[in-house]
């Protein structure tokens, strides 16, 4: 398995895939290797079909999670083993659920409970710019353009760079943060001495503790801040195509789902990017 894993790493690196994709593909292959008692290269199509039935029926994984597993194994077969397979995968029915959206007041209440300045700034950027957690953690100091009030998002989902607008209040927080911590490369560096960015688990742990202290009963994750940003922007009147670019969606249909989450939109408000503020005392 070690040789196979190294070959998988090499092929992923060769194609310039993100670290998140790498982790997903490696996990998918390792999970399959633990399930079978023979080399993966010798598996038949029928055995692979049985494995995916096991994921759906026994492990009760969601459609999205099974698709991630399938993508990783397909990559392994195509680019490492140079083989193909033809299987029928039974997908669990995809439930269409509207998440419980955080209000602006609830977002403020959660951030107000953060006691560590570094994490307070991170959550402010996460919400104020509508970023994915991976995009936030891979920001570099050089990605901040204070004069243009933008952040450069490098290799977001789909491998595309883009610029996003930063609200003035968030930019002020970033300046204070830099003056206090003086990061030189990664904007939010790891605290373990690995010279890389902070790991997702650190931010998730901090957010979970903060959410519990806030008394907010709605579920809260880093992606909840992104959902909140998107819906608050639409309520403030941001055009859909502008929101699409800010969020980094390749297809406007992905962005338009937020319209379905908001039965009524108030288009008379000012752009939230100009008016959104977080109390500087917190």
């Amino acid at each position: 398995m070690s040789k196979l894993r190294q070959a998988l790493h090499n092929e992923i690196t060769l194609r310039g895939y993100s670290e998140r994709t790498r982790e997903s593909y490696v996990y998918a292959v390792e999970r399959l290797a633990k399930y079978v008692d023979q080399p993966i290269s010798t598996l038949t199509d029928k055995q692979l079909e049985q494995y995916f039935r096991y994921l759906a029926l026994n492990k009760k994984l969601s459609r999205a999670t099974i698709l991630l597993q399938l993508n990783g194994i397909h990559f392994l077969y195509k680019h490492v083993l140079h083989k193909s397979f033809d299987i029928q995968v039974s997908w669990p029915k995809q439930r269409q659920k509207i998440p419980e959206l955080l209000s602006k007041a609830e977002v403020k209440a959660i951030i107000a409970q953060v006691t560590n300045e570094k994490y307070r700034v991170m959550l402010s950027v996460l919400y104020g710019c509508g970023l994915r957690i991976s995009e936030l953690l891979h920001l570099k100091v050089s990605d901040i353009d204070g004069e243009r009030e933008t952040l450069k998002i490098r290799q977001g989902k789909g491998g595309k760079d883009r610029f996003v607008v930063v609200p003035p209040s968030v930019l002020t927080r970033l300046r204070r943060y830099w003056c206090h911590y003086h990061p030189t490369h990664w904007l939010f560096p790891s605290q373990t001495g690995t010279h890389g960015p902070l790991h997702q688990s650190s931010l998730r742990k901090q957010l979970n503790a903060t959410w519990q202290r806030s008394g907010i009963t709605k579920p809260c994750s880093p992606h909840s801040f992104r959902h909140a940003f998107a819906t608050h922007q639409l309520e403030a009147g941001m055009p859909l195509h502008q929101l699409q670019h800010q969020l980094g969606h390749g297809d406007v249909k992905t962005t338009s789902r937020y319209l379905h989450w908001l039965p009524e939109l108030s288009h008379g408000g000012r752009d939230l990017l100009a008016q959104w503020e977080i109390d500087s005392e917190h």
Side-chain angles (χ1 to χ4, degrees):
M1 180 62 190
S2 58
K3 290 183 178 180
L4 191 66
R5 177 171 179 164
Q6 185 58 54
L8 180 62
H9 272 283
N10 292 342
E11 292 301 320
I12 293 172
T13 301
L14 184 65
R15 286 160 179 78
Y17 287 3
S18 68
E19 185 60 31
R20 185 176 183 181
T21 299
R22 180 194 302 275
E23 291 175 357
S24 173
Y25 285 6
V26 170
Y27 177 72
V29 173
E30 289 179 341
R31 190 166 192 163
L32 175 61
K34 288 180 180 179
Y35 175 79
V36 299
D37 57 357
Q38 65 188 85
I40 292 178
S41 59
T42 65
L43 295 175
T44 65
D45 287 0
K46 187 173 182 180
Q47 286 176 303
L48 283 174
E49 276 191 8
Q50 189 60 40
Y51 172 66
F52 283 102
R53 284 179 60 84
Y54 161 78
L55 294 182
L57 297 176
N58 296 75
K59 303 303 291 185
K60 301 187 184 302
L61 299 185
S62 68
R63 180 189 183 98
T65 304
I66 293 176
L67 181 58
L68 284 175
Q69 300 289 305
L70 179 60
N71 287 342
I73 294 168
H74 180 265
F75 182 92
L76 173 77
Y77 268 71
K78 181 178 180 179
H79 299 293
V80 179
L81 300 177
H82 305 292
K83 296 176 62 176
S84 62
F85 57 80
D86 182 18
I87 64 175
Q88 296 293 323
V89 179
S90 299
W91 303 102
K93 186 176 180 180
Q94 191 169 15
R95 295 185 175 92
Q96 298 293 332
K97 292 183 65 178
I98 297 177
E100 294 187 66
L101 301 170
L102 296 171
S103 67
K104 286 180 281 186
E106 288 169 331
V107 170
K108 281 189 176 184
I110 292 171
I111 295 178
Q113 291 295 321
V114 183
T115 56
N116 182 288
E117 181 184 356
K118 179 177 181 177
Y119 290 105
R120 187 163 58 244
V121 171
M122 292 176 75
L123 292 180
S124 298
V125 176
L126 194 68
Y127 170 66
C129 300
L131 303 185
R132 302 177 178 93
I133 186 172
S134 58
E135 295 172 344
L136 171 76
L137 296 176
H138 284 86
L139 286 173
K140 298 177 180 178
V141 175
S142 58
D143 293 332
I144 304 174
D145 188 332
E147 185 175 344
R148 295 176 58 201
E149 298 185 345
T150 61
L151 286 177
K152 183 175 183 179
I153 306 302
R154 301 174 185 270
Q155 298 296 290
K157 193 171 183 180
K160 297 179 181 179
D161 293 351
R162 73 183 191 280
F163 288 95
V164 300
V165 179
V166 186
S169 60
V170 174
L171 195 58
T172 297
R173 287 199 164 202
L174 281 170
R175 289 190 177 111
R176 284 206 305 260
Y177 165 78
W178 186 87
C179 289
H180 186 271
Y181 289 93
H182 295 289
T184 56
H185 182 62
W186 297 108
L187 185 57
F188 304 110
S190 171
Q191 298 170 319
T192 61
T194 59
H195 305 293
L198 191 73
H199 195 273
Q200 288 192 20
S201 60
S202 298
L203 180 59
R204 292 182 184 277
K205 182 179 179 180
Q206 284 285 333
L207 177 56
N208 186 59
T210 299
W211 165 64
Q212 291 182 359
R213 288 196 300 269
S214 72
I216 305 298
T217 57
K218 295 176 183 176
C220 181
S221 69
H223 218 65
S224 300
F225 279 47
R226 180 171 162 88
H227 288 330
F229 167 86
T231 52
H232 298 165
Q233 295 292 345
L234 286 174
E235 288 172 331
M238 176 181 277
L240 197 62
H241 71 275
Q242 185 179 343
L243 180 61
Q244 176 192 1
H245 174 79
Q246 186 83 6
L247 294 174
H249 288 157
D251 191 336
V252 72
K253 291 181 180 178
T254 305
T255 316
S256 65
R257 65 178 174 167
Y258 291 106
L259 293 172
H260 301 295
W261 296 357
L262 299 169
E264 295 181 6
L265 290 176
S266 173
H267 293 289
R270 293 177 297 163
D271 190 339
L272 188 62
L273 285 174
Q275 74 177 22
W276 181 76
E277 295 286 338
I278 297 177
D279 189 346
S280 60
E281 294 298 320
H282 296 290

